[in-house]
Amino acid sequence: MRATTLHGDRDIRFTEVPDPVIAEPTDAIVKVVASCICGSDLWNYRGENKITPGMTIGHECLGVVEEVGAAVSAVRPGDFVIVPFCHCDNTCAHCRAGAQSVCENLGFTTSGQAEYALVKQADGSLVRTDGVPDDALLPGLLALTDVMATGWHAAVCAGVRRGGTAVVVGDGAVGLCGVIAARQLGAERVVAMSRHEDRQELARRFGATDIVAERGESGEAAVRELTGGVGADYTLECVGTDQAMKTAFKVARPGSMVGFVGVPHGVNLPVNAMFGRNVGLYGGMAPVRRYLPELLGLVLHGTIDPGPVFDLTIPMDQVAEGYRAMDERTAIKVFLQP
Amino acid sequence: MRATTLHGDRDIRFTEVPDPVIAEPTDAIVKVVASCICGSDLWNYRGENKITPGMTIGHECLGVVEEVGAAVSAVRPGDFVIVPFCHCDNTCAHCRAGAQSVCENLGFTTSGQAEYALVKQADGSLVRTDGVPDDALLPGLLALTDVMATGWHAAVCAGVRRGGTAVVVGDGAVGLCGVIAARQLGAERVVAMSRHEDRQELARRFGATDIVAERGESGEAAVRELTGGVGADYTLECVGTDQAMKTAFKVARPGSMVGFVGVPHGVNLPVNAMFGRNVGLYGGMAPVRRYLPELLGLVLHGTIDPGPVFDLTIPMDQVAEGYRAMDERTAIKVFLQP
């Protein structure tokens, strides 16, 4: 098949690789109908993670089931499915407790930016739609495979409920989806911390009531002023850097929770401040499968539409252009058409 | 008045100091009827915190209101009161949200091991009893001023509810009170991690169903075995050392919360493991006043009795003996009689 492959720092190609094969009876192969590039792919692209040259890349996709292993019974070839980026059996103790991203049989989509993707634990992971969704719905559904579910996890972990003020640290696709989530889960006021005008505009479209463009101490002061000196009732950390985490703890009101979903890079948690101010931290890799049924309903009914996080659509064979655009921040998130 | 004073490393005395005076109209002075030594006093005693030679010490006491400032209306001279170690106005935004230990007008008892203690924000802080409690109740009520409320905070922050397994890391007075709290809040199984036989026995008396005497990796393995490989539904960290915190994160099941109340000393939080396993951390200095009405009822009705954490009772003028006993771990917690 043809697949996006990574060969070195900023060396991304669309090449011919072996087709994935059913290795376990619980596997399935999905023919990719829509795919995209994730902010976290950039860590590999920029050489900040160790890579294997020639490796396939991409963990977000949806498509049509092509083939299933002997033990797969919940989906059949021809079914249109949402593929959560992390695969789970959805039956182990951790899954049953809602921690599907720590499943005892955890797997990941590893060739999402390709013609075919292998899904481990197909029965536990894949969520079918009734028939093939309209093309216009594809971006919104594709967002469910990672960023929308991840922003949702941040809001759930931060404890967002009816009323109160949520602050979202980070204006990437996940942060923007965090705005949707905070609003949908009932926050009365949603403050998006964003320096970029295009992202500020999208944040407003997604339900942000206030924008704080400043960073660091002045950003923290701005949030304090917006919240009458009290701080945020719910704080969503959607970046993963030490600065973002520090900001999150500074803007969170005493006794509240920071929901964090940014993969930590160089983060030192301020344990004394957490203790002294009674501000907690909860989150991690999103248990996408847990939220998929609910989020799928919200997208299909038009209650939420995370689709606009995709501000650039290109054919998959031009994937290198997409990486460049996201690396240079000329695009928020790139939609890839096979 | 006569008061316990600290003069240097392990140099504790019972000396004559000036009486406390009403400085603010919201102050009150309480004549101490019962007092005690806290594990956290040992940090000062051992020279691990910076001290002012001659300073009074002690933050746990209860007694009779002696004098009140002009703005105090909720208590009167002669009232018997429980004195939370941290004082709060109980009206600011943080207090109203249940974060009384981050009150905008936070104060502390600083001469609890003395004849008189000054209470800031008397109206917000003090909780009256109906009449003078029976002597037999004093230990249980005294525990409410700090350790019982702190153990309760650990259990609340860990999310203890009906069913499931709680693991308590730490067998000091707070950890033992954490056992009471976890049980009272509904945990079906309460695992106390304790190496000391006398504390194990007290933990069982307080409701522990299982004891894990091992520490480090073998202790973690023992908890995993007790929980069918899954880990604890609720984890209470009641020590404050890096080892205790690491153990807490290791025994916590994916998706669960570690409630922490041990004052952190040299703790480095394992942010990557927290992210990867979706284990949160929530807690800090206990908002004692928030829990006092409920806990007072539980003690007065005999539903809980944290009194047995006191295993040594001595006259206050022999306070130095008490510090020595706790320092050498021959006593769990020392009750001081004025």
Side-chain angles (χ1 to χ4, degrees):
Chain A
M1 67 172 178
R2 292 187 312 156
T4 304
T5 50
L6 183 60
H7 299 262
D9 292 5
R10 290 181 167 76
D11 181 0
I12 202 100
R13 305 177 197 169
F14 197 61
T15 58
E16 191 69 30
V17 303
D19 283 354
V21 292
I22 301 284
E24 305 284 340
T26 46
D27 290 352
I29 291 167
V30 171
K31 183 174 169 64
V32 174
V33 169
S35 174
C36 58
I37 304 172
C38 183
S40 68
D41 292 329
L42 296 179
W43 293 105
N44 288 317
Y45 178 73
R46 291 168 178 158
E48 293 177 68
N49 289 341
K50 201 173 160 65
I51 66 148
T52 305
M55 66 188 256
T56 59
I57 189 167
H59 53 267
E60 296 160 297
C61 69
L62 37 74
V64 176
V65 175
E66 178 82 9
E67 190 185 345
V68 297
V72 175
S73 61
V75 295
R76 287 184 299 190
D79 285 347
F80 193 93
V81 289
I82 316 290
V83 185
F85 81 88
C86 50
H87 313 157
C88 58
D89 59 29
N90 217 18
T91 56
C92 76
H94 303 332
C95 283
R96 279 181 281 127
Q100 281 88 341
S101 49
V102 200
C103 173
E104 288 171 8
N105 291 297
L106 189 65
F108 295 95
T109 303
T110 56
S111 64
Q113 296 157 8
E115 284 186 277
Y116 296 98
L118 181 67
V119 179
K120 313 296 293 182
Q121 303 297 330
D123 274 353
S125 305
L126 296 173
V127 173
R128 291 191 310 127
T129 60
D130 288 335
V132 177
D134 191 83
D135 275 1
L137 277 171
L138 293 185
L141 295 176
L142 181 58
L144 301 185
T145 65
D146 182 350
V147 286
M148 184 62 233
T150 297
W152 192 264
H153 191 49
V156 168
C157 288
V160 179
R161 54 186 185 280
R162 201 72 33 204
T165 298
V167 171
V168 180
V169 182
D171 62 359
V174 170
L176 292 165
C177 288
V179 169
I180 296 177
R183 196 69 175 169
Q184 179 63 28
L185 286 166
E188 193 180 331
R189 201 170 187 185
V190 179
V191 182
M193 298 189 77
S194 170
R195 287 193 300 183
H196 306 86
E197 271 186 33
D198 55 335
R199 292 163 192 239
Q200 291 173 1
E201 194 186 309
L202 197 48
R204 286 198 187 277
R205 186 168 159 195
F206 281 169
T209 54
D210 300 85
I211 302 288
V212 167
E214 300 93 328
R215 284 198 172 188
E217 282 183 22
S218 55
E220 292 150 26
V223 171
R224 262 196 304 278
E225 202 182 314
L226 278 173
T227 56
V230 172
D233 299 294
Y234 330 106
T235 306
L236 287 65
E237 193 288 306
C238 303
V239 182
T241 62
D242 195 54
Q243 192 198 3
M245 190 63 89
K246 284 199 168 40
T247 295
F249 280 110
K250 286 280 177 62
V251 302
R253 71 180 291 165
S256 75
M257 190 70 75
V258 174
F260 82 123
V261 292
V263 185
H265 281 82
V267 170
N268 281 302
L269 295 176
V271 64
N272 291 309
M274 291 172 71
F275 185 90
R277 300 185 68 244
N278 265 258
V279 175
L281 181 70
Y282 189 36
M285 196 164 75
V288 180
R289 181 58 180 79
R290 166 177 161 196
Y291 302 127
L292 264 188
E294 180 177 4
L295 294 178
L296 180 59
L298 291 172
V299 169
L300 291 176
H301 289 95
T303 310
I304 64 172
D305 180 15
V309 292
F310 297 104
D311 57 347
L312 179 62
T313 298
I314 55 177
M316 198 183 284
D317 58 10
Q318 291 169 36
V319 62
E321 291 298 327
Y323 273 83
R324 195 171 310 129
M326 282 181 64
D327 184 35
E328 294 168 0
R329 295 179 78 92
T330 57
I332 298 173
K333 195 166 175 71
V334 176
F335 187 95
L336 300 171
Q337 293 172 314
Chain B
M1 67 171 178
R2 292 188 311 155
T4 303
T5 49
L6 182 60
H7 299 263
D9 292 4
R10 290 181 167 76
D11 181 1
I12 203 101
R13 303 177 199 170
F14 197 61
T15 59
E16 192 69 30
V17 303
D19 283 355
V21 292
I22 300 283
E24 304 283 341
T26 45
D27 289 353
I29 291 166
V30 171
K31 183 175 169 64
V32 174
V33 170
S35 174
C36 57
I37 304 172
C38 182
S40 68
D41 291 330
L42 296 179
W43 293 105
N44 289 317
Y45 178 73
R46 290 169 178 158
E48 294 176 66
N49 289 341
K50 200 172 160 65
I51 65 148
T52 305
M55 67 187 255
T56 59
I57 188 167
H59 54 267
E60 296 159 298
C61 69
L62 38 74
V64 176
V65 175
E66 178 81 10
E67 190 186 346
V68 297
V72 174
S73 62
V75 295
R76 287 184 300 190
D79 284 346
F80 193 94
V81 289
I82 316 290
V83 186
F85 80 89
C86 51
H87 313 158
C88 57
D89 59 29
N90 216 18
T91 56
C92 77
H94 303 332
C95 284
R96 280 181 280 126
Q100 281 90 341
S101 49
V102 201
C103 173
E104 287 171 9
N105 291 297
L106 189 65
F108 295 96
T109 303
T110 56
S111 65
Q113 296 157 7
E115 285 186 275
Y116 296 97
L118 181 68
V119 179
K120 313 297 291 183
Q121 304 297 329
D123 273 354
S125 305
L126 296 173
V127 174
R128 292 191 311 126
T129 60
D130 288 335
V132 177
D134 191 82
D135 275 0
L137 277 172
L138 293 185
L141 295 176
L142 180 58
L144 301 186
T145 66
D146 183 349
V147 287
M148 185 62 232
T150 297
W152 193 264
H153 191 48
V156 168
C157 289
V160 178
R161 56 185 184 280
R162 200 73 31 207
T165 298
V167 170
V168 181
V169 181
D171 62 358
V174 171
L176 292 165
C177 288
V179 169
I180 295 176
R183 195 69 175 171
Q184 180 63 28
L185 287 166
E188 191 181 332
R189 201 171 188 186
V190 179
V191 181
M193 299 190 77
S194 170
R195 287 192 300 181
H196 305 87
E197 272 188 29
D198 54 336
R199 293 164 191 240
Q200 292 173 1
E201 194 185 309
L202 197 49
R204 286 196 187 278
R205 186 169 158 193
F206 282 169
T209 54
D210 300 84
I211 303 288
V212 167
E214 300 93 327
R215 283 197 174 190
E217 281 183 22
S218 55
E220 293 151 23
V223 171
R224 262 196 304 279
E225 201 181 314
L226 278 172
T227 55
V230 172
D233 299 295
Y234 330 107
T235 306
L236 288 66
E237 194 287 307
C238 302
V239 183
T241 61
D242 194 55
Q243 191 197 5
M245 190 63 89
K246 283 199 167 41
T247 296
F249 279 110
K250 285 279 176 64
V251 303
R253 71 179 291 166
S256 75
M257 190 71 74
V258 173
F260 82 124
V261 293
V263 185
H265 281 83
V267 170
N268 281 302
L269 295 177
V271 64
N272 290 309
M274 291 173 71
F275 184 91
R277 299 185 67 245
N278 265 259
V279 175
L281 182 70
Y282 188 37
M285 195 163 75
V288 180
R289 182 58 182 78
R290 166 178 161 196
Y291 303 127
L292 264 188
E294 180 177 6
L295 294 177
L296 180 59
L298 291 173
V299 169
L300 291 176
H301 289 94
T303 310
I304 64 171
D305 181 14
V309 292
F310 297 104
D311 57 347
L312 178 63
T313 298
I314 56 177
M316 199 183 284
D317 59 9
Q318 292 169 36
V319 63
E321 291 298 326
Y323 272 84
R324 195 171 311 130
M326 281 182 62
D327 184 35
E328 294 168 0
R329 296 180 79 92
T330 58
I332 298 172
K333 194 166 175 71
V334 176
F335 186 95
L336 300 171
Q337 291 171 315

